[in-house]
Amino acid sequence: TVCENQDITVHGNITIQNGEAAAEFVLINTTLRMNGSYDGNVSIRLLSGTFNISDRSNITTINTANEYAFIMRVGTSFIMTDSRLDNAGWEDTEERRGIELFSKPTLFRNNTIKDNFFGITIYANDVQIIESVIENSAQNTSRAILIGNVTGTNLSRNTITTMNDSATAVFIQGAA
């Protein structure tokens, strides 16, 4: 499925999963407005296949009080370039934090990630996040980036900002 130059309101879950053919979901200069009635009521989940977000695409929520889940599972291909994602995640619990990467993105470059509970949570080895802006201002205890007990994470030429004194820019679990 390819969505190009569209503005789409989503009232349910988006699940990308292989069926008889390999699943592929592509957003090109497209806005997805997640419309849940409470936190976690709607989600975007890549279970298998490929999800490609590019060229000024935007994923957001209609009501910032009702955040959505954004989960990229092991064995998937996730590409995000030149785009924006905001207001995902609502609490410090796995699958509720914001962008959660269980699989290495093929490419994550020049994106703006703003006001997620955690900006990005990394659960996979060798993830590269390059030339992106990651800003969290919505939660007192939020983290812009949470890196799980993994190796090879590369954060290059990013701007990482937290907007309050109790937030953490980059938190590494299992670090001594």
Side-chain angles (χ1 to χ4, degrees):
T1 302
V2 177
C3 301
E4 187 169 1
N5 302 319
Q6 295 184 41
D7 192 321
I8 302 167
T9 299
V10 179
H11 298 280
N13 297 312
I14 296 174
T15 302
I16 304 149
Q17 184 172 11
N18 293 338
E20 303 238 343
E24 183 175 19
F25 188 46
V26 178
L27 301 178
I28 302 169
N29 191 32
T30 292
T31 297
L32 291 182
R33 299 177 195 283
M34 305 303 288
N35 189 21
S37 54
Y38 55 87
D39 287 340
N41 179 235
V42 294
S43 65
I44 299 172
R45 295 176 188 275
L46 179 62
L47 303 180
S48 56
T50 300
F51 188 15
N52 184 342
I53 305 167
S54 67
D55 298 326
R56 298 171 313 282
S57 288
N58 181 28
I59 301 176
T60 189
T61 185
I62 288 179
N63 181 346
T64 59
N66 301 326
E67 286 88 358
Y68 57 97
F70 189 92
I71 314 296
M72 304 294 108
R73 283 285 170 207
V74 172
T76 60
S77 176
F78 175 57
I79 302 164
M80 185 169 175
T81 59
D82 304 310
S83 296
R84 179 184 177 100
L85 190 147
D86 59 44
N87 294 296
W90 60 96
E91 69 183 27
D92 186 5
T93 301
E94 191 172 298
E95 297 199 5
R96 297 179 179 180
R97 291 183 174 131
I99 298 175
E100 295 187 67
L101 304 176
F102 292 86
S103 184
K104 177 181 172 183
T106 303
L107 182 61
F108 193 96
R109 175 173 289 196
N110 197 32
N111 298 300
T112 299
I113 306 303
K114 188 172 181 180
D115 293 333
N116 294 348
F117 189 84
F118 287 6
I120 301 173
T121 303
I122 299 169
Y123 299 108
N125 292 330
D126 303 317
V127 170
Q128 294 188 38
I129 299 173
I130 302 167
E131 298 168 348
S132 294
V133 174
I134 301 148
E135 180 180 301
N136 274 17
S137 60
Q139 305 292 332
N140 288 339
T141 60
S142 68
R143 296 179 170 116
I145 298 176
L146 169 64
I147 301 172
N149 192 12
V150 298
T151 62
T153 301
N154 180 6
L155 306 175
S156 298
R157 300 179 304 280
N158 297 295
T159 301
I160 302 170
T161 307
T162 58
M163 301 306 285
N164 56 58
D165 293 339
S166 62
T168 305
V170 178
F171 182 82
I172 302 171
Q173 285 183 332

